[in-house]
Amino acid sequence: MTSLAELAARAPLGNLRPGRISPPRQVPSHISRPEYMFHDGPEVITASDVKDAETIGRIREAGRIAARALQAVGRAVAPGVTTDELDRIGHEYLCDHGAYPSCLGYMGYPKSLCTSVNEVICHGIPDDRPLEEGDIVNVDITAYVGGVHGDTCAMFEVGQVDEASHLLCERTEKAMLRGIKAIRPGREINVIGRVIEAWAKRFEYGVVRDYTGHGVGEAFHSGLIVPHYDAAPKHAEVMEVGMVFTVEPMLTLGTIEWEQWDDDWTVVTADRSRSAQYEHTVVVTEDGAEILTLP
């Protein structure tokens, strides 16, 4: 069996540089804006993380639109396509379906989705760099419609990628699904991260700690934190039926230490090893969890 060290040696280390960022895209005036678009600073929404059936239905619809937008963006991923073009596709899909791109203007973020390429852990800003054969790219997209957000992301391979990168993407998706499978009412939130980290350790992957899942709904990010590592005894909130949050592990082929570009958003691995992330918005049910970000 090939060791992780051998596989990692085949995965190229990153050498990304910031590209040119185009002006923010416009949203038709008839589309409702989230409240953070009307003031400076963070969100000021206070809503329970436990939602009623009507609110869950609205989040499910927002999640469905986000998931379909993600599919539309993913179909365009290919060598030579810029991440700015991916942003255009996602932006137009959301607007065409009456949804506001939640990322656009959130805490000053300049684009409608996040595109995190290769060593970028999260929050990569779409720009004029063309995707290259062998790249991997995370697309993170959130739809705001009906007064709620639906948040999802996935990895896409650009042409033919090396084995280590392919396995990292495949196993990160499985890590997310294993974490979701661990959800049960009465369990502590930290069980999700325990399961994810145990899976990741089988392959010697790094599990990013400083960026987590979160409560979502009326707020893009509520105060609820969902770690993807074994954080016990911290983060011991008990899961309840109707609780809505994201599960979005970020795994790396190397260190979990990170650096941030001068744009104040783009987070890269300190050793420039590759990183992958998958995300779903979920609701706790009587016997487990329902994924709300399915197409």
Side-chain angles (χ1 to χ4, degrees):
M1 181 177 178
T2 305
S3 71
L4 178 64
E6 292 171 319
L7 286 175
R10 301 176 195 170
L13 293 179
N15 59 359
L16 289 176
R17 297 292 183 271
R20 186 185 65 85
I21 300 172
S22 64
R25 303 184 192 280
Q26 299 301 304
V27 178
S29 59
H30 69 273
I31 293 177
S32 296
R33 271 70 168 160
E35 64 83 29
Y36 50 78
M37 292 303 297
F38 300 99
H39 62 82
D40 293 330
E43 297 172 274
V44 291
I45 287 179
T46 54
S48 172
D49 289 304
V50 178
K51 314 297 184 185
D52 60 28
E54 188 273 336
T55 304
I56 292 167
R58 286 188 282 127
I59 298 171
R60 187 184 293 111
E61 179 57 25
R64 182 179 296 116
I65 292 171
R68 291 176 178 174
L70 184 63
Q71 287 182 327
V73 173
R75 286 192 291 269
V77 170
V81 176
T82 66
T83 51
D84 187 65
E85 173 65 5
L86 300 183
D87 183 78
R88 181 194 66 79
I89 293 168
H91 177 93
E92 291 183 359
Y93 187 97
L94 292 176
C95 292
D96 287 348
H97 291 80
Y100 185 90
S102 302
C103 290
L104 183 61
Y106 178 77
M107 298 291 289
Y109 187 79
K111 303 301 286 182
S112 298
L113 48 83
C114 298
T115 50
S116 299
V117 180
N118 297 340
E119 72 267 30
V120 180
I121 296 173
C122 59
H123 304 160
I125 302 175
D127 61 23
D128 66 350
R129 175 192 179 272
L131 294 171
E132 298 178 0
E133 181 84 15
D135 284 347
I136 58 174
V137 56
N138 176 273
V139 176
D140 192 339
I141 192 162
T142 307
Y144 177 79
V145 64
V148 295
H149 303 265
D151 190 4
T152 188
C153 80
M155 299 299 299
F156 298 94
E157 299 180 2
V158 184
Q160 186 70 34
V161 308
D162 62 273
E163 184 180 9
S165 299
H166 173 74
L167 289 174
L168 176 67
C169 294
E170 182 179 86
R171 291 166 176 167
T172 302
E173 182 175 25
K174 289 182 179 177
M176 173 193 66
L177 294 173
R178 282 173 173 255
I180 292 171
K181 191 174 181 180
I183 294 171
R184 291 287 188 283
R187 289 182 175 174
E188 296 179 353
I189 284 283
N190 56 38
V191 74
I192 298 169
R194 188 176 311 140
V195 168
I196 289 171
E197 186 170 47
W199 167 255
K201 280 185 174 179
R202 292 174 58 178
F203 311 105
E204 303 174 45
Y205 293 153
V207 182
V208 174
R209 294 186 169 214
D210 293 335
Y211 295 90
T212 68
H214 53 88
V216 65
E218 296 92 339
F220 191 0
H221 299 85
S222 81
L224 180 67
I225 294 174
V226 183
H228 304 115
Y229 62 98
D230 187 355
K234 296 180 180 179
H235 302 291
E237 295 88 346
V238 174
M239 291 183 269
E240 303 177 45
V241 172
M243 186 178 285
V244 177
F245 51 82
T246 69
V247 178
E248 48 180 303
M250 304 165 206
L251 307 185
T252 74
L253 286 175
T255 185
I256 63 172
E257 300 302 317
W258 53 269
E259 299 169 357
Q260 191 172 54
W261 284 1
D262 291 341
D263 61 22
D264 293 328
W265 285 103
T266 305
V267 176
V268 299
T269 54
D271 61 2
R272 302 303 187 264
S273 62
R274 290 192 166 188
S275 178
Q277 179 190 17
Y278 281 82
E279 175 184 19
H280 274 309
T281 297
V282 302
V283 58
V284 180
T285 64
E286 293 283 356
D287 57 356
E290 176 193 351
I291 295 174
L292 298 177
T293 39
L294 294 176

